Amino acid sequence: VQLVESGGGFVQAGGPLRLSCSASGSIYRDAYMGWYRQAPGKMRELVAGFRSDGNINYLDHVKGRSTLSRGDAKNTLSLQMNSLKPKDTTAYYCALIMRGGIYWGQGTQVTVSS
């Protein structure tokens, strides 16, 4: 399984950013995807992700200003983040969870300038 991310970069505080992820390989139908983030020296944490029941979990910090959605193509995922804040600055990782395993993308850096 391979995950390819795109959409990271530099953005001014208050602006929007859209992260996209495409997964390929042998993927079971019951796999589900999400976005995580990890700051240096900290644990990786869920930003927004589908659960196995199809509902979505959002990190409290991004609730109300972020939307997770599946793409039109199979096994694609997007995270629209609005009203970005400097503390959103970190590396973001796409994840695919499948049959007890988790696969990661290479990560994409988001930097929000004040």
Side-chain angles (χ1 to χ4, degrees):
V1 175
Q2 288 188 322
L3 291 88
V4 178
E5 300 135 333
S6 61
F10 291 89
V11 62
Q12 286 193 332
L17 192 73
R18 187 177 185 88
L19 301 178
S20 297
C21 177
S22 178
S24 61
S26 297
I27 300 171
Y28 291 104
R29 291 181 62 184
D30 58 354
Y32 49 100
M33 299 173 70
W35 282 96
Y36 288 70
R37 68 181 188 183
Q38 186 172 22
K42 294 191 176 181
M43 298 285 290
R44 195 167 291 189
E45 61 179 353
L46 178 70
V47 179
F50 284 97
R51 300 201 309 245
S52 57
D53 60 4
N55 290 317
I56 300 173
N57 283 334
Y58 287 97
L59 181 70
D60 284 346
H61 173 65
V62 305
K63 273 182 185 175
R65 58 187 183 94
S66 297
T67 303
L68 185 71
S69 59
R70 291 188 176 97
D72 292 334
K74 192 176 178 182
N75 296 321
T76 59
L77 187 73
S78 291
L79 178 64
Q80 177 70 39
M81 296 191 290
N82 300 317
S83 303
L84 282 163
K85 305 173 183 181
K87 58 182 177 179
D88 292 319
T89 294
T90 191
Y92 288 75
Y93 296 86
C94 181
L96 184 143
I97 299 93
M98 180 171 67
R99 303 284 170 99
I102 186 165
Y103 300 86
W104 297 102
Q106 78 282 2
T108 185
Q109 178 69 29
V110 172
T111 302
V112 183
S113 60
S114 56

